[in-house]
Amino acid sequence: MADLRDMGRQDSGPHGSGRQDFDAVVIGTGAGGAPLLARLAQAGLRVLALEAGEAHPPEAMPTDERAQAGLFWRDERLSAGANPLPFGNNNSGCGVGGSTLHYTAYVPRPQPDDFHLRRTFGVGEDWPLAFSKLEGYFDELEGFLGVSGPATYPWGPPRRQGYAHPPLPLNGAAQLMQRGAEAVGLRTSPAPNAALSRPQEQEGYGLRPACTNRGFCQAGCSVGAKASMDVTFLPLATRHGAEIRAGCFVTDLERRGDRVTGVVYRQGGQERRVRAGAVFLAAGAIETPRLLLRLGLANSSGQVGRNFMAHVGTQLWGQVEEEVRPHKGIPGALISEDTHRPEGADFAGGYLVQSIGVMPVTYASQFARGTGTWGAALTSHMRGYRHTAGINVLGDCLPQPGNFLELSDEPDGRGLPKPRIHFSWGENERRMNAHATRLMTDLWTAAGASGLWTLERSAHVIGTARMGRDPRRSVVRPDGRAHDLENLYISDNSTFPSALSVNPALTIMALSLRTADGFLAARRKGESACDRGALEQT
């Protein structure tokens, strides 16, 4: 097995390899950056990835939530609005592999109608591409990552191929959800998870073992069974010559005319720069617009930072007589998409329902935040932790003018303006949340849970650099290239025109591969930058 610290050896000196000229520089090594980094390296390009965080090898992941604080982006972000978002360990990652280090590996595909919400409901925004443009990438990703899932998935169009591995075992919460769903007439299925139920050989990494059902996926997988980028695409990229420099915070993009010519970053207190033929910005829906707003780039539309969205993600918790041990197993083991377009609903879009696992410190903090319970009462409640089980929903969110990211006048530790994120649920999110809460209450009551309580929350940060064909209403084209700059691409969740009613990771990776393929196709044609219509025609 390859030691992930091998990636660090390619960065053995303060300047890494010492090379200063690259065909492409990728900023960020998460789900948006890592796939395209590997694709470009496999094509023989000289590629560099700059990552603000440090490497976290699997064998260094302890079963300890507090010890894993380094996985999260801890720089302060200011939250405003009627439903202000918590950050820290909720909506951001920091490290080689980005947020995939702590994602739950829950990877259902979006459904075709997710891409045309406006055409269907008259609200929201349609994507400038159809499901069919990403379907081949979903197939590729599910095989490469080693997604475990059911032989037959009940929702969405017929699949062209099965999942790579059988489903993972149902943990305690999943078994409880299965029982409750049967009672209320809701179909369920083992969820697709990017974690191995059988060992898989991974090019550039070696043998990834099967999941040990240790749980604690959100604190980092200690065996490499979870398909985070550090055990999948990044080893593949370095095997083909890519260089990864960790601990590098990008501060500037050098320009000449309508082209980016170089990247300036700080590493170990020193300012460094490299020249770049093209730049792929994959820093996520907060840091990507933050950098662009600071530099005044790619914003002739005025849309950078606008259209911020976050999934409706309310959780419902209860306790049962039997021991559930909620920290064990893959967190999202069971799913239902019967609520994708619920009959008679008074809102646009839809949501999915999933069982959830939870780690003890996370649960204690959520219970305190959600119920206002502290001190002896909190301690008493936590004595029942092993009997606690939860479910949650993940639903659409509509873009609204009042939900946006801006630069505050308050500097962070680097002397840069902190981002301020305004977020409030609209009427659509409130109605969806009410519908989902009623359903989850019925389901958990039928399963025999008592002491029910809900945590109204939003999950995943999406939008802020919308993709579209109209340069007056969007920041990047359908191929991910900025309208305003010839060789600047954005590859992360900031480009989503709508939130989709599923977790975003698989779609981010699919878009990343698609952007890389379009870029390479244009190079093969001898063009200096991606042809404007290349991807739309593929």
Side-chain angles (χ1 to χ4, degrees):
M1 177 186 296
D3 189 332
L4 283 181
R5 285 168 291 198
D6 285 347
M7 288 191 290
R9 291 185 188 125
Q10 299 203 23
D11 182 15
S12 55
H15 300 279
S17 66
R19 177 178 289 163
Q20 294 184 326
D21 290 279
F22 293 90
D23 295 316
V25 174
V26 181
I27 302 170
T29 59
L36 68 83
L37 181 76
R39 196 73 123 209
L40 300 184
Q42 287 177 293
L45 271 64
R46 297 169 301 166
V47 290
L48 167 69
L50 297 173
E51 168 58 50
E54 303 294 341
H56 301 278
E59 65 272 19
M61 300 285 190
T63 305
D64 184 333
E65 293 173 78
R66 298 188 65 181
Q68 287 304 307
L71 295 179
F72 309 117
W73 192 280
R74 291 292 183 180
D75 291 11
E76 187 177 7
R77 291 158 171 176
L78 306 179
S79 289
N83 301 93
L85 290 173
F87 288 100
N89 62 357
N90 185 42
N91 283 307
S92 57
C94 189
V96 175
S99 294
T100 64
L101 293 172
H102 67 77
Y103 80 147
T104 59
Y106 201 66
V107 287
R109 296 181 178 190
Q111 296 195 27
D113 57 5
D114 276 318
F115 293 84
H116 50 78
L117 201 65
R118 185 167 192 82
R119 192 198 327 160
T120 305
F121 293 97
V123 295
E125 188 76 10
D126 289 347
W127 287 52
L129 52 87
F131 173 88
S132 60
K133 301 297 185 184
L134 296 179
E135 187 174 14
Y137 294 109
F138 293 145
D139 293 342
E140 177 184 347
L141 286 163
E142 289 167 355
F144 177 77
L145 300 173
V147 173
S148 301
T152 302
Y153 192 72
W155 304 279
R159 299 173 57 83
R160 301 188 296 198
Q161 63 182 44
Y163 289 110
H165 302 288
L168 290 161
L170 299 183
N171 59 9
Q175 294 175 36
L176 198 68
M177 175 175 161
Q178 196 173 46
R179 191 166 77 202
E182 286 176 2
V184 302
L186 198 71
R187 293 179 298 167
T188 61
S189 168
N193 290 113
L196 301 176
S197 60
R198 299 183 297 204
Q200 175 173 302
E201 188 69 24
Q202 200 74 48
E203 183 182 355
Y205 181 78
L207 187 68
R208 291 171 51 213
C211 175
T212 60
N213 298 308
R214 155 185 171 266
F216 285 80
C217 304
Q218 292 154 302
C221 179
S222 62
V223 298
K226 188 177 79 169
S228 48
M229 297 299 96
D230 57 325
V231 299
T232 54
F233 278 110
L234 294 178
L236 178 64
T238 55
R239 183 184 185 93
H240 289 274
E243 183 176 340
I244 299 170
R245 297 181 186 174
C248 299
F249 187 86
V250 172
T251 58
D252 198 5
L253 301 178
E254 297 179 324
R255 287 89 70 191
R256 184 180 302 122
D258 62 355
R259 297 184 62 79
V260 177
T261 58
V263 180
V264 181
Y265 62 95
R266 294 190 68 81
Q267 183 186 36
Q270 301 294 314
E271 184 174 276
R272 310 187 191 285
R273 53 176 31 84
V274 291
R275 289 182 288 275
V279 173
F280 295 82
L281 185 51
I286 302 297
E287 293 304 318
T288 284
R290 183 189 183 199
L291 179 65
L292 295 176
L293 287 172
R294 278 203 306 107
L295 302 180
L297 289 179
N299 198 23
S300 63
S301 63
Q303 294 297 304
V304 173
R306 314 300 298 188
N307 309 305
F308 182 87
M309 296 169 282
H311 285 125
V312 173
T314 294
Q315 299 175 344
L316 185 139
W317 297 93
Q319 294 188 343
V320 293
E321 291 188 4
E322 62 262 44
E323 193 172 75
V324 177
R325 296 194 295 169
H327 63 285
K328 298 295 288 185
I330 194 78
L334 197 73
I335 186 173
S336 177
E337 293 196 51
D338 273 3
T339 49
H340 177 70
R341 295 290 182 265
E343 188 175 349
D346 59 353
F347 52 83
Y351 60 91
L352 60 80
V353 186
Q354 66 180 105
S355 61
I356 47 176
V358 69
M359 299 176 289
V361 175
T362 300
Y363 179 72
S365 63
Q366 288 184 342
F367 183 72
R369 180 159 56 98
T371 65
T373 303
W374 304 92
L378 175 60
T379 303
S380 175
H381 180 80
M382 287 304 296
R383 291 195 182 99
Y385 166 73
R386 293 166 69 84
H387 297 264
T388 298
I391 45 176
N392 81 312
V393 298
L394 201 73
D396 275 301
C397 174
L398 301 180
Q400 302 178 55
N403 291 342
F404 62 95
L405 177 149
E406 64 177 352
L407 299 180
S408 74
D409 55 5
E410 185 176 333
D412 66 6
R414 299 183 178 88
L416 303 173
K418 295 176 183 176
R420 180 185 292 112
I421 297 91
H422 299 258
F423 184 70
S424 302
W425 280 356
E427 186 60 27
N428 200 70
E429 288 76 41
R430 286 190 288 272
R431 290 179 178 182
M432 182 183 295
N433 181 63
H435 188 281
T437 301
R438 287 194 298 271
L439 175 64
M440 290 192 293
T441 300
D442 290 345
L443 198 158
W444 236 220
T445 300
S450 60
L452 306 184
W453 65 276
T454 57
L455 177 66
E456 289 189 350
R457 60 188 282 276
S458 300
H460 308 127
V461 290
I462 300 166
T464 67
R466 175 190 280 173
M467 168 200 314
R469 299 183 190 281
D470 186 347
R472 298 167 300 179
R473 302 185 64 250
S474 57
V475 178
V476 300
R477 308 161 206 256
D479 61 4
R481 185 161 58 106
H483 287 296
D484 297 350
L485 293 157
E486 285 297 317
N487 61 341
L488 175 67
Y489 294 77
I490 299 177
S491 177
D492 55 37
N493 46 352
S494 69
T495 68
F496 283 27
S498 69
L500 309 176
S501 57
V502 294
N503 305 59
L506 193 71
T507 305
I508 297 171
M509 294 183 220
L511 288 173
S512 179
L513 291 175
R514 184 172 183 270
T515 294
D517 285 347
F519 177 80
L520 292 170
R523 280 180 64 93
R524 284 193 292 271
K525 293 177 182 176
E527 300 169 5
S528 60
C530 187
D531 177 71
R532 294 174 191 279
L535 281 173
E536 289 87 337
Q537 297 168 11
T538 58

